[in-house]
Every structure is written in C-alpha cells, then in structure tokens.
Amino acid sequence: MTASPDVTADTTVVKALRKLRMPQTQRNRELWLLLFAFALNAAALALVQLGANGAIDPKFLIYCGGLTALVLALHIVLRLVAPAADPFVVPIATVLTGLGIAMIYRIDLHYDLHGWVATSTRQLAWAAIALVAAIAVVVAMRNYRVLFRYTYVFGFVGILLMLLPIIPGLGADANADVWVDLGIFSFQPGELAKIALAIFFAGYLVRTRESLTSVGTRFLGMTWPRARELGPLLVIWLGSLGIIVLQRDLGTGLLIFGMFVAMLYVATGKTSWVLIGLVLAAGGAFLASRALPYVGGRFENWLNALDPDLYEAGAGTYQLANGIFGLAQGGLLGTGLGQGRPWLTPLSQSDYIFPSLGEELGLIGVFAILCLYMIFTSRGIRIGLAGQDDFGKLLATGLSFTLALQVFIMVGGVTRIIPLTGLTTPFLAAGGSSLVANWIIVALLLRISDAVRSRPRVVIG
C-alpha cells in the first residue's frame, strides 16, 4: 500500500523545514560574534593591566572568565528555548559590559583597590546577577504576551518604584533622591521602573490607540487630539515634573516622558503628538530652570562650563570641565588603556565613564562605542517593526528608544550638548541596578524577536 501524493509532499516539506531549523544559523552567528566579544574584552583587560602596572595579573582575568561562562550559558539557553532570537543583541551587550568593567578596573588600579572594596569587583558581581536575571527571564517567560494581561499592575509597580526614594527611612543620602537603601545594599528603583512603565505604556496604548488616532481637530495641516485624548500626555508630563521637583532627578523625568512620547508616536503615527511632546518638554525645562535652583544650576553650569569662578565653586563645573579636558587629552587615538588619567574627574567610573573611555580610547574608540549603541537600538526597533503584534511592537520599540535616549542624555551631558543630568550610561557605568535592568531589557528583546521570527502571523487584539 503506497502513501498518497499529498501525504508524501507534506512529509517532504516537514523534513525540509527540520533540516533548515537544525543548523540554527542565528545562534551560530551569535556564537562567532560572542567569541569576538570575548577576545575584545580579554584584550581590554590585559591592556589595562599592562598600561597601569606593566604586568598581567591572571586573578582578575579568571574572575572575568566566570562572567564569560554565564554569557555562554545564556547562549546555550537561547539555543534550547529561543533559537530564532536576534543574534546581535547579546554580543553587543557583552562587549559594552566588558569595556565598562575594564575601565572601572583601570581606575581601581590607580587607587590600589582590590577585593570587595574595589568597584570593579562589585561590578563583576552585579554583572553575574544581571546575566542570571536575563537567563531567568528567557527561561520563565515563554510567551511575552502574558505581560499584556498585567498592564495596569505594571503601571502601579512602576509608580511605586518611582516613589520609593521619597519614603522616609528608605531614601539614601545623595545629591538626588533616586537611591533606596535597604541596609545590605542600595539600588536605583528608577532603573526597574522604566521597564515596568514601558510595559504599562505599551499595554495602555494598544487598548486606547483607536481613540487616539480616529478623532481630532485639523489645524496647520495636522490633526490635533481632543482634550480627553490629550489628558494622558498631560498626566505623564506632570508626573515627570513631579519627579524633577520631589526627587531632584532631571534625567529620569526626561527619560520617562520621552519614552511615553516615542511610544505614543509609534502607536498612532501622528506627528502632532511629537510636536506637543517637544513643546511640553521645552516648557517644563524652562519652568524648572526658573523655579528650581537645582535645575537652574545645571543650566548655568552648562552654559558657562569653563568660567573660572564656576570651576572653583563647590557645586560648580569642576567635574564637567575635567571631563571635557579628558576627552581633549584623548584626541583621535587616545592615550591607550591604562595610560591616561581618568581619575582626575570625580565619579569617573560611574557618571563620567564615557569621558574616561574617551581619554584612553580616543575619538575613534568612543565613536565605535556609539556605533554599538546605534546597532543595538536599530536591532530593537527592527524587532518591533517586524512583528504584527501591536503590544510586542510597542514594547520592543519603547525599550530600544529608552536605552538610546538614555545614552543621548548622558553622552550629551558630559560633552556639553545638553545640560548634565543624573543618569547612568547603559552597560558601561558602575551601578548594579542599571546593569540588571539593561540585561533584563536584553532578555525581553530576545524573547520578542524569537516570537516574531517563529510565529510572525500571530496577532493579539
């Protein structure tokens, strides 16, 4: 008895598809990129040790080898549970994290810090925690669309995280009320809040997109939203101003508001929302600079960074000017890893990690770093736009834009393009909460990209 032609054809197609799936070309490409990333990170650490001490200390390289093993573990997990995930996201995040650790380690070597008192050791520990968190998200969240069910829960969690630093007894003593001290360790809840709010914004805009796009008033060649649709944007604007006022945190306020406006534009495709957002952002910045001494001081330092009086003032431009001097010292090719003087700038391992890298890697080096950020952002936006799921599209685009906006705010601040704010440079700067949050973003993008490539026709309402 012979099989029917249709059954034979179906069996042939299935076998062909299995053969195509077996090589896992996306994961093989990722593996080769990871090997290149590991080589870059190892070379950076070795050059730092040679430049600073004239000899290679294998102990710290062994510690970093444990981090390499965790990245390989993430790669293996992706082969098993998300074989179609984007192959560029993890290698880029690995290179940026490794370069950040190398520069932090370089500053520790100058101060002869070793063990747990060294910032680089703690950064290694946080990087391990971040990678474990990313692996947990990839394994546990088989379908990212489940997040859509808890839209308002994530909104509540995001607002609660933003309010934690101003609760008496929890806030840590710092220039801005953005830290929470739990006794054992302190963290920035705003870093995790941006993920929760991105999920909330994506779910909210999917539910309300029709009303945001279908009605409005034509004026100056554009359709402007009605007052009731304008309400959420005004609420987010007032919330961002509240963060600036209550927490003295200009950066997080700009980041949350910019993320919402970007996701609103992606959801509606209306240019009017962007124009309204820019007007509100400019108006809020003007009001804050006039009413709040903290914000006014930032604008004054930005406009007169090289003023001798401000340079010598206690809360003046000493840090900003020294960062600029460090970038100038680096020139085109840099002084070489381990051979500059980045420690002359206060907080050179955290807020000013970018000028530290610029001094030792030069303009070419920081341009390569910015290109890595650009590729990471473009891959994230491509992941969002490639899918037909509105929630996944908004979430991937929102998270990618948020990371890009954070890079722009920090790099623009230390190079005097815009006033300096208190954010961290993603993956590079010292800080555990930022590193964990950014690797969770990596895990979410991996899950969304795998779903887009595996089930490109699945759509939710």
Side-chain angles (χ1 to χ4, degrees):
M1 186 173 180
T2 58
S4 65
D6 293 338
V7 174
T8 304
D10 290 342
T11 305
T12 304
V13 171
V14 170
K15 288 181 178 179
L17 289 174
R18 285 177 179 172
K19 288 181 180 179
L20 288 174
R21 188 177 180 83
M22 284 299 290
Q24 294 193 338
T25 55
Q26 299 294 339
R27 302 278 64 80
N28 292 339
R29 184 179 302 160
E30 179 185 77
L31 179 59
W32 285 110
L33 290 173
L34 282 177
L35 293 176
F36 182 61
F38 297 152
L40 283 178
N41 291 342
L45 287 169
L47 288 173
V48 162
Q49 292 179 341
L50 289 173
N53 293 339
I56 293 180
D57 178 12
K59 184 183 297 184
F60 193 79
L61 293 177
I62 293 173
Y63 292 157
C64 294
L67 200 61
T68 301
L70 283 174
V71 175
L72 287 175
L74 175 59
H75 170 74
I76 294 171
V77 167
L78 291 174
R79 281 186 177 272
L80 296 175
V81 301
D86 188 271
F88 295 95
V89 174
V90 175
I92 292 174
T94 301
V95 170
L96 292 173
T97 302
L99 287 177
I101 291 173
M103 180 50 61
I104 296 168
Y105 178 57
R106 186 267 172 278
I107 297 168
D108 285 339
L109 288 179
H110 168 74
Y111 291 110
D112 197 24
L113 297 177
H114 303 280
W116 194 247
V117 296
T119 306
S120 55
T121 304
R122 296 197 298 272
Q123 187 75 353
L124 265 176
W126 278 114
I129 295 172
L131 280 163
V132 171
I135 293 172
V137 170
V138 170
V139 172
M141 195 178 62
R142 295 302 180 97
N143 186 355
Y144 72 89
R145 297 174 186 85
V146 72
L147 300 175
F148 182 72
R149 304 176 188 172
Y150 305 100
T151 296
Y152 295 101
V153 173
F154 279 104
F156 174 77
V157 170
I159 294 173
L160 179 62
L161 287 170
M162 296 301 302
L163 294 176
L164 281 181
I166 62 176
I167 296 177
L170 287 180
D173 185 16
N175 292 329
D177 297 327
V178 298
W179 290 90
V180 169
D181 189 359
L182 298 179
I184 302 175
F185 65 93
S186 59
F187 74 102
Q188 285 182 281
E191 292 290 341
L192 298 175
K194 68 184 182 184
I195 300 177
L197 290 176
I199 297 172
F200 166 68
F201 291 155
Y204 171 80
L205 291 172
V206 167
R207 288 179 167 89
T208 60
R209 183 181 58 179
E210 293 300 325
S211 61
L212 292 171
T213 57
S214 59
V215 293
T217 303
R218 293 288 297 178
F219 180 66
L220 296 178
M222 293 182 296
T223 303
W224 298 85
R226 297 182 306 181
R228 70 178 67 177
E229 280 77 39
L230 192 61
L233 184 61
L234 294 176
V235 170
I236 300 299
W237 179 66
L238 292 173
S240 301
L241 286 179
I243 293 172
I244 296 172
V245 173
L246 297 176
Q247 300 183 4
R248 303 194 304 276
D249 186 10
L250 179 62
T252 302
L254 290 174
L255 187 67
I256 299 301
F257 183 72
M259 175 174 63
F260 181 70
V261 172
M263 295 176 72
L264 189 58
Y265 172 72
V266 173
T268 62
K270 295 169 72 71
T271 310
S272 55
W273 287 112
V274 178
L275 295 177
I276 294 173
L278 291 175
V279 171
L280 289 176
F286 176 78
L287 292 176
S289 65
R290 295 294 181 179
L292 302 174
Y294 160 75
V295 179
R298 291 296 178 98
F299 274 88
E300 178 68 17
N301 292 342
W302 171 52
L303 295 173
N304 304 286
L306 302 181
D307 188 323
D309 294 332
L310 286 176
Y311 182 82
E312 299 292 340
T317 62
Y318 179 83
Q319 183 186 39
L320 177 59
N322 273 22
I324 296 172
F325 295 154
L327 288 170
Q329 177 68 20
L332 182 64
L333 300 176
T335 61
L337 285 172
Q339 298 183 10
R341 297 185 295 172
W343 64 85
L344 294 178
T345 303
L347 299 177
S348 54
Q349 76 277 18
S350 54
D351 290 3
Y352 272 72
I353 189 75
F354 190 81
S356 299
L357 288 164
E359 180 177 351
E360 299 202 340
L361 296 180
L363 178 63
I364 293 177
V366 295
F367 181 75
I369 292 173
L370 291 177
C371 285
L372 288 177
Y373 280 121
M374 182 180 67
I375 296 172
F376 186 97
T377 303
S378 66
R379 298 301 297 186
I381 293 176
R382 180 179 178 181
I383 289 168
L385 297 181
Q388 298 178 354
D389 168 21
D390 293 334
F391 176 71
K393 178 183 298 185
L394 286 174
L395 183 58
T397 305
L399 291 173
S400 303
F401 176 83
T402 301
L403 190 139
L405 180 60
Q406 191 166 341
V407 172
F408 171 76
I409 290 174
M410 276 311 300
V411 174
V414 299
T415 55
R416 273 192 75 199
I417 296 176
I418 59 175
L420 183 65
T421 61
L423 291 174
T424 57
T425 309
F427 299 109
L428 292 176
S433 47
S434 173
L435 201 57
V436 172
N438 290 318
W439 273 99
I440 290 176
I441 290 176
V442 168
L444 291 173
L445 291 177
L446 290 171
R447 264 304 175 192
I448 296 172
S449 63
D450 178 66
V452 167
R453 287 190 171 97
S454 300
R455 298 178 295 275
R457 296 185 181 277
V458 175
V459 182
I460 66 170

